[in-house]
Amino acid sequence: MIETMEKILKKAQAEQYAVAAYNVNNLEWARFILEASEDSKTPVILEVSESAVTYMGGFNVAAQMIRALVKDLKITVPVAIHLDHGKSVESCKQAIDAGFTSVMFDGSQLPLEENISKTKEVVNYAHQHGVTVEAEIGKVGGENSEIVHADPNECVRIVQESGIDFLAPALGSVHGLYHGEPHIDFDTTKKIRDLTGLPLVLHGGTGIPDEMLLEGIKSGICKVNINTELQIAWSMALRKYLNDNQEVYDPRPIMKSGEMAMKEEIVYKNKLLGSYGKAN
Ligand code: 13P
C-alpha cells in the first residue's frame, strides 16, 4: 500500500532501524523491489532521480507506474514514492502533482540562504498536498562533486526555518563506488540527530561496510539510499545471461535475468538494516 514517508520513517526512528530507499530505473526494477520487499515484509521507499524520471518519460509515468504496480501486484507493505535529488522547486512541484508521496529538494550546491528559502518554498507546497520533504546540507561526494561536511548549526537552521521532515547531512559518504574505505563522521551525525530530532538520511549507501551501516543507524540514520549496488548486481547477471544465451532476442527474459541477483541484494540489505519483517 502507498504510505507517507513520515509514517514509515517515524516508526523506523522509534524502533531504531533503517529503511532502504532503492533507486528505480524502469518498470522491471520497480517490480523486483516491490516483490522482494513484499516477500520480506519490509516497508520500502522507491525513489526516482530526475534523470531516471526523464529516462522513463516523465513524472506521471514514474509515479503512476509505481502506483499501478502496487495495486496490481497487491503489495501490502508500506511503499513511499520519493523524488531523489530534485534540482529545482519546479521539478519538486511537478513530482508532487504527479503523485509522489515525498520529495527531496537538493539545494546543496546553492548558498545556504538560497538553499533554505527554496527548500521552504517546496515545503509549503508539499505540506499543502500531504507530501514530505527531505533536504541536504553539506555535499555528498561523487564523480563530479567533492565531499563537504555538513555544519550542525546550518542543519538546525534549515530544519527550523524551512520546516523539512527529513534531513540528509553529508558527512563523508559518496554516490557510486568508494576509492578505499569510506570515512563517515557518525559523531557529528549523532550531534545533528540530537539537535534536530529528525529522521536522518544517508546517501551513497553502496560500498559502506555492514558494521558502519549499523553504527549509522545507532547515530540516527533512518533511511539509507542505495543505487549503484543494485545496478552492479543487475548488470552482472544480465551480462552473464547474454553471454550464456547468445541466441536470445526476446527482451523479457533479458530484462528479467537480473531479477534474482537484485532481489537477493535487497533482502540482504533489508535484514541488515533491521527493516525486515517491520511492515506492520
Ligand atoms: P549509491 O549509488 O552510492 O548507492 O547512492 C545512492 C544515492 O545516494 C541516491 O541518492
Side-chain angles (χ1 to χ4, degrees):
M1 75 192 151
I2 298 293
E3 188 52 273
T4 63
M5 205 154 94
E6 169 153 44
K7 206 163 167 196
I8 292 174
L9 292 189
K10 280 279 153 74
K11 181 166 161 19
Q13 187 181 36
E15 298 179 25
Q16 274 222 5
Y17 59 88
V19 178
Y22 299 109
N23 283 76
V24 171
N25 290 292
N26 54 29
L27 178 132
E28 284 79 7
W29 281 50
R31 184 164 72 73
F32 302 158
I33 296 165
L34 288 170
E35 286 175 348
S37 303
E38 181 71 13
D39 284 348
S40 61
K41 294 274 165 271
T42 305
V44 68
I45 298 156
L46 271 68
E47 61 182 17
V48 192
S49 66
E50 278 201 39
S51 60
V53 164
T54 306
Y55 172 79
M56 285 189 246
F59 288 101
N60 290 300
V61 179
Q64 297 309 320
M65 177 186 78
I66 295 169
R67 284 177 177 269
L69 282 169
V70 168
K71 188 172 176 196
D72 285 353
L73 297 173
K74 300 184 173 43
I75 300 296
T76 61
V77 298
V79 177
I81 310 173
H82 179 73
L83 174 67
D84 189 30
H85 294 285
K87 295 285 183 221
S88 66
V89 174
E90 197 40 50
S91 55
C92 289
K93 286 184 177 172
Q94 279 180 280
I96 293 163
D97 292 346
F100 282 64
T101 65
S102 184
V103 295
M104 174 189 190
F105 175 70
D106 178 1
S108 62
Q109 306 296 324
L110 303 172
L112 179 68
E113 299 302 328
E114 199 180 340
N115 186 2
I116 294 176
S117 67
K118 289 200 163 144
T119 301
K120 188 165 188 239
E121 209 180 323
V122 173
V123 169
N124 288 343
Y125 191 78
H127 285 182
Q128 277 170 31
H129 293 79
V131 167
T132 48
V133 179
E134 172 187 329
E136 178 172 323
I137 288 287
K139 289 181 189 154
V140 176
E143 239 169 67
N144 302 312
S145 162
E146 58 168 322
I147 298 170
V148 177
H149 282 234
D151 173 334
N153 296 324
E154 293 186 0
C155 291
V156 171
R157 277 200 57 196
I158 198 163
V159 170
Q160 290 181 349
E161 294 176 34
S162 74
I164 51 167
D165 305 279
F166 321 108
L167 178 67
L171 287 162
S173 63
V174 307
H175 289 125
L177 297 175
Y178 289 83
H179 302 293
E181 184 89 344
H183 294 285
I184 303 175
D185 181 353
F186 288 124
D187 288 336
T188 306
T189 308
K190 278 186 202 133
K191 196 168 166 187
I192 293 168
R193 172 200 60 195
D194 295 343
L195 286 168
T196 64
L198 289 190
L200 302 181
V201 180
L202 178 63
H203 281 252
T206 294
I208 298 180
D210 291 359
E211 347 43 274
M212 225 182 247
L213 283 175
L214 296 178
E215 200 188 336
I217 294 170
K218 283 199 198 115
S219 313
I221 300 295
C222 300
K223 170 176 178 263
V224 178
N225 288 12
I226 298 169
N227 184 27
T228 308
E229 229 153 59
L230 292 189
Q231 293 184 335
I232 291 172
W234 181 78
S235 58
M236 278 175 63
L238 182 140
R239 200 170 285 122
K240 180 173 184 326
Y241 178 80
L242 284 177
N243 277 334
D244 293 349
N245 299 274
Q246 299 278 342
E247 75 293 351
V248 173
Y249 48 79
D250 181 343
R252 288 166 295 182
I254 296 173
M255 296 303 287
K256 209 173 134 51
S257 60
E259 177 174 354
M260 291 322 295
M262 263 182 73
K263 285 183 171 175
E264 273 169 25
E265 190 64 44
I266 292 167
V267 170
Y268 181 83
K269 272 286 158 12
N270 291 344
K271 280 190 176 153
L272 177 72
L273 299 179
S275 56
Y276 194 94
K278 294 287 187 179
N280 301 312

